[in-house]
Amino acid sequence: MIIFTHHTGEPHGILGAQLAATFFQRKLSIPSIVIGIERSFSKDRLLAFIDDYYKKEERRVAFSHLCGRKDLIELIRALKREGFVTILGGPQAKQDYHGEPGNDSHPHRFRGLKSAVDLACQGPADGFRPDHFGMSDILLEHPWTKEIFLEVDWSNLYTFSESAKKHEVRLGQVLNAIGCPYAGRVQTVSLPPPVELRERGVPVLNVRSEGCVFCDVSRDKGFHGPVERDRVIAQIAGLPEIDGRKIPFELIDEYPLRSLGQLLEEVKHHGMRLSQIHLVCRVDDINGHASDLPEILEKARAQEAKIMFASIGFESFSDRLLQYFCKGITLGDILKCVETLRRLKDRFGNHFLYRRDEGANHGFIRPTPWDDGETMREMDRNIFLHRLFEDILPRHSTPLIIHHGSFLGDWIREIESTTGIAFGRDGTWIEWWNPSDSSLP
């Protein structure tokens, strides 16, 4: 079976999809590979490849991590028309299968993938059983637990542009925690309408959020705790090696610093040699462990390993926007974090990486629905005064993306229900910048 997914072509693996393929192969005896489809691909050549691959195989195909791509959604529909059994898993599988609430009475809303998907799976792949593959028009829900299947075949990944090419993974992933602890923070935020609608009488609305208001993964997965340490070590042991060292890997954990020092000690105890650990984390984790970081970095340096803050969730340099995002941090927290990073860089040099020119890509969301002259001047002033353009600011910001399953999706639908305004849809995304109404110019 092939699991199709989004891929950029960069040398990274895809943990969720590769875990699923490994589970199907080793536990269900279903030979499986992952095909990461790049954005510029030949549909005709891909369909020819699929037809050839399945000449002697059962015609069932899976999809995971669609990343909002309409071309992947259309591929699901095309294979369904060709008689394939289609399976949907990965992030937001449940939401994407059912579609948006109220899509029957609001035809412009995303109608879901029920007509194209035979079987959807919410949760880890190890919920699958052989008899599930004979079912149709069903959503399976399997709970996340700390005991999920965590064996990964790092050789089962291919990419496709003009042809299927074996992908050499040079950046892996190791699961250290399931979900984000911040997702457990339930809060209500008052959101004004998009700037474009300020003069249209659209009210300020109270929106419930769990964690960051734009995060669809928090609603999809929540938080289920850290993975047992011996299972983390086993994952690291299973990573490929280059010149006797494990390939660089991302430690998947929004709060990794609480356990990183002990992890380094245990890796050394097991005789493994690391090259580089990538961290994707929150500002409050760095601030909360600023005093621990020198000791952690000393351990890494002693092992000739590098620690890289590959992506920190700054997201904005405006207190007002940070509040709207429900980030739980302030501009002051961000500046304190940046000072810590710069101070550590002076001390640890090339063993500590965090800068844009070292490969980091930190979170910066812009544009947003609430950008106006005040917030734009505030952000530009802070970026200039604190020299954030030197090391922190990414080369390209990320526009605010509203997945229909996120808490901001609830906000948009509430605006639609109370005003009659309809926002555009682009696949699984809501176009907050594209309102339409007979009363609008």
Side-chain angles (χ1 to χ4, degrees):
M1 184 170 66
I2 297 176
I3 300 176
F4 288 105
T5 186
H6 162 76
H7 204 282
T8 63
E10 297 295 316
H12 61 80
I14 307 176
L15 182 63
Q18 291 183 254
L19 272 172
T22 308
F23 175 81
F24 291 146
Q25 178 99 24
R26 296 180 182 176
K27 297 298 183 180
L28 302 185
S29 299
I30 300 173
S32 300
I33 60 173
V34 179
I35 301 288
I37 302 179
E38 299 180 40
R39 287 195 179 273
S40 56
F41 74 97
S42 169
K43 183 177 179 180
D44 290 340
R45 292 187 179 185
L46 177 61
L47 291 175
F49 166 78
I50 295 171
D51 188 61
D52 183 67
Y53 181 90
Y54 279 96
K55 278 184 177 178
K56 297 181 180 180
E57 303 290 339
E58 290 190 64
R59 292 169 70 84
R60 54 193 181 198
V61 61
F63 286 80
S64 175
H65 187 53
L66 302 180
C67 202
R69 287 177 54 176
K70 291 188 293 184
D71 54 356
L72 294 184
I73 292 175
E74 177 50 40
L75 181 61
I76 300 175
R77 299 189 189 281
L79 294 177
K80 172 75 170 178
R81 290 192 295 268
E82 292 294 320
F84 281 81
V85 173
T86 53
I87 301 165
L88 177 65
Q92 296 85 48
K94 179 178 180 179
Q95 292 92 329
D96 288 347
Y97 179 72
H98 286 303
E100 286 189 73
N103 61 59
D104 289 337
S105 54
H106 298 80
H108 70 287
R109 294 182 182 177
F110 178 62
R111 301 190 68 80
L113 300 176
K114 278 188 175 182
S115 63
V117 170
D118 293 296
L119 179 65
C121 177
Q122 170 75 10
D126 41 333
F128 271 104
R129 297 293 178 267
D131 58 314
H132 289 154
F133 292 100
M135 300 178 179
S136 61
D137 300 321
I138 191 171
L139 170 71
L140 301 173
E141 297 190 64
H142 189 71
W144 290 96
T145 72
K146 296 181 182 182
E147 304 305 317
I148 60 173
F149 180 84
L150 285 176
E151 298 174 24
V152 187
D153 177 359
W154 291 104
S155 69
N156 63 11
L157 177 61
Y158 298 74
T159 57
F160 197 100
S161 180
E162 297 295 317
S163 61
K165 296 180 180 179
K166 191 72 174 288
H167 197 66
E168 182 183 357
V169 176
R170 298 197 298 276
L171 176 62
Q173 296 89 30
V174 169
L175 186 64
N176 196 50
I178 301 173
C180 175
Y182 188 65
R185 181 174 173 178
V186 179
Q187 52 199 313
T188 299
V189 61
S190 296
L191 294 180
V195 169
E196 184 179 348
L197 301 179
R198 280 183 178 176
E199 307 303 320
R200 308 301 303 186
V202 179
V204 174
L205 295 174
N206 292 326
V207 179
R208 180 183 181 276
S209 180
E210 297 173 12
C212 301
V213 74
F214 52 80
C215 182
D216 47 334
V217 177
S218 68
R219 172 173 277 180
D220 177 72
K221 186 178 293 184
F223 178 64
H224 302 276
V227 175
E228 298 298 333
R229 183 61 52 78
D230 60 337
R231 307 192 75 214
V232 177
I233 293 295
Q235 292 177 72
I236 297 174
L239 289 168
E241 294 186 359
I242 299 177
D243 297 330
R245 290 184 179 272
K246 296 299 180 181
I247 62 171
F249 63 89
E250 175 191 340
L251 190 67
I252 299 178
D253 186 346
E254 298 290 334
Y255 289 86
L257 299 182
R258 58 190 170 182
S259 60
L260 183 56
Q262 184 64 34
L263 180 62
L264 286 169
E265 291 182 6
E266 295 198 24
V267 165
K268 180 181 178 181
H269 175 74
H270 283 81
M272 293 183 285
R273 301 172 68 205
L274 304 182
S275 55
Q276 186 165 305
I277 300 177
H278 289 214
L279 305 178
V280 177
C281 66
R282 288 176 46 85
V283 167
D284 53 326
D285 190 34
I286 297 173
N287 288 346
H289 293 89
S291 61
D292 302 324
L293 276 167
E295 181 182 354
I296 292 172
L297 292 171
E298 287 287 7
K299 292 178 180 179
R301 182 160 61 181
Q303 297 179 34
E304 298 183 351
K306 297 180 180 181
I307 301 297
M308 179 178 185
F309 283 98
S311 184
I312 302 169
F314 297 115
E315 315 308 0
S316 182
F317 307 104
S318 160
D319 273 324
R320 178 149 60 97
L321 293 183
L322 289 169
Q323 180 183 357
Y324 293 163
F325 291 161
C326 295
K327 283 300 300 180
I329 57 174
T330 65
L331 176 65
D333 296 326
I334 289 175
L335 298 179
K336 179 181 177 182
C337 175
V338 172
E339 290 173 3
T340 297
L341 298 174
R342 289 171 174 169
R343 187 168 58 251
L344 292 170
K345 184 65 178 177
D346 290 340
R347 179 173 173 180
F348 291 95
N350 289 335
H351 284 282
F352 173 66
L353 310 175
Y354 80 93
R355 294 173 55 93
R356 178 185 63 242
D357 55 12
E358 294 171 330
N361 185 32
H362 301 303
F364 179 35
I365 299 175
R366 183 172 180 176
T368 80
W370 309 285
D371 294 338
D372 56 21
E374 180 183 344
T375 59
M376 299 291 275
R377 285 191 299 271
E378 178 189 3
M379 281 195 291
D380 290 344
R381 181 174 63 252
N382 290 326
I383 289 168
F384 176 77
L385 286 176
H386 302 285
R387 310 187 328 276
L388 302 180
F389 52 83
E390 294 180 2
D391 52 356
I392 296 298
L393 211 64
R395 288 183 174 85
H396 303 286
S397 62
T398 301
L400 180 66
I401 294 172
I402 299 181
H403 184 275
H404 71 86
S406 71
F407 295 100
L408 281 180
D410 296 339
W411 172 62
I412 288 290
R413 286 186 289 272
E414 183 67 15
I415 293 176
E416 290 180 330
S417 298
T418 57
T419 66
I421 294 171
F423 291 85
R425 296 318 196 258
D426 185 19
T428 59
W429 295 352
I430 301 176
E431 298 176 324
W432 53 264
W433 60 90
N434 184 21
S436 62
D437 182 83
S438 59
S439 64
L440 292 176

